[in-house]
Amino acid sequence: MIVENTDGKSVRGLQDMLRNISYYIEDIDSVIPDGIFSEETKNSVISFQKIYGLEPNGEVDVVTWQKIRDVNNELENIYANPVCFPVFGKRIYITKGDEMAELYVVQSMLYAVF
C-alpha cells in the first residue's frame, strides 16, 4: 500500500502516472512528481478514486494502484504517437517522459516563444 511513509521511488512512479492521467482527464488533480506523498498527491489520488468508483480515501491499495496503472497504460497506448523532427541535423524521436539535451533546447525555445 502506498501511503505517506512509502519510499520516494514508489511515490514518484505513482505521481508520474497520475500526472500523465491528469493531462487527459481534467477532473483528476494534477501533481508534480517529487517522490513525496504530500497533500497534493493525496488529493490527486482521491480525485482519481472518485472518478473510477473506488473508495475516496487517498490511500493507494492494490486495487487503486492497479486501476491507476491500467488507466495510465490505456491512455499511453491511445496517445503514444512518437514525434520526429530534425534537431541539429539529425532525426530525434521524442516521446512523453523523455529526457535528453536536445529536448531541453527545444523546450527552452518554446518557453521563450510562449
Side-chain angles (χ1 to χ4, degrees):
M1 174 182 300
I2 296 181
V3 291
E4 292 162 39
N5 294 327
T6 303
D7 70 89
K9 188 175 179 182
S10 298
V11 173
R12 174 71 189 252
L14 168 71
Q15 292 168 328
D16 284 338
M17 289 188 291
L18 288 168
R19 185 170 180 86
N20 289 341
I21 294 167
S22 73
Y23 287 140
Y24 305 107
I25 303 173
E26 64 183 41
D27 292 336
I28 294 183
D29 297 344
S30 184
V31 62
I32 297 172
D34 59 7
I36 300 168
F37 199 104
S38 62
E39 197 65 29
E40 179 183 54
T41 302
K42 184 175 182 176
N43 290 338
S44 184
V45 170
I46 289 171
S47 62
F48 179 89
Q49 289 170 325
K50 286 179 182 176
I51 289 171
Y52 287 96
L54 304 170
E55 181 183 350
N57 58 15
E59 295 180 3
V60 183
D61 58 11
V62 174
V63 174
T64 298
W65 177 266
Q66 185 66 46
K67 188 65 175 177
I68 290 171
R69 199 178 81 186
D70 289 348
V71 170
N72 182 63
N73 290 342
E74 181 180 334
L75 291 170
E76 282 185 349
N77 287 334
I78 292 170
Y79 296 105
N81 295 321
V83 176
C84 178
F85 59 92
V87 177
F88 307 118
K90 56 185 175 180
R91 295 192 78 64
I92 304 291
Y93 290 90
I94 298 175
T95 58
K96 193 176 202 177
D98 283 350
E99 296 179 25
M100 62 183 82
E102 294 88 352
L103 181 57
Y104 294 126
V105 172
V106 172
Q107 289 173 328
S108 297
M109 292 168 27
L110 289 170
Y111 182 74
V113 172
F114 297 104

